[in-house]
Amino acid sequence: SHGGSKGRVTKPGLADLRGKRVAFIDDSRPNADVVLAEYQALLETKYGIRSVVIHKIDLGLRVNEPLPRDVFEKLASEVDAGVVALGS
């Protein structure tokens, strides 16, 4: 067989999260801050991430409003991954 592994996509393991910057986006729904804090603590403790918390309300945005493109692009250039909380 030739090129058997060519084009194969390997998913990085969770161990690769150590030291990575992860943005937690609080979408300002009820309990979103609680949900995010739990995930943030878990990922910091278990996987050694470096977290950044973004509060949509601080950006002048409400629930269901997308991040403005400039904010999104700035964020994307500064972090390795993002988590959006959905409160209930």
Side-chain angles (χ1 to χ4, degrees):
S1 70
H2 44 277
S5 63
K6 191 176 180 184
R8 194 175 113 208
V9 178
T10 56
K11 295 181 181 176
L14 288 176
D16 294 340
L17 284 174
R18 183 159 302 281
K20 294 285 192 285
R21 290 175 61 85
V22 179
F24 290 82
I25 301 166
D26 181 343
D27 65 1
S28 69
R29 288 179 193 270
N31 297 323
D33 53 343
V34 178
V35 174
L36 276 181
E38 288 290 325
Y39 278 106
Q40 183 184 347
L42 174 70
L43 292 175
E44 283 175 349
T45 305
K46 194 164 184 181
Y47 299 113
I49 66 158
R50 294 164 56 206
S51 54
V52 181
V53 179
I54 287 84
H55 297 279
K56 285 186 79 172
I57 203 157
D58 293 343
L59 299 173
L61 301 172
R62 294 185 301 275
V63 173
N64 296 332
E65 287 186 55
L67 289 175
R69 189 168 190 81
D70 59 330
V71 173
F72 179 83
E73 288 177 352
K74 179 176 187 293
L75 189 58
S77 70
E78 294 174 354
V79 301
D80 302 295
V83 176
V84 180
L86 298 176
S88 57

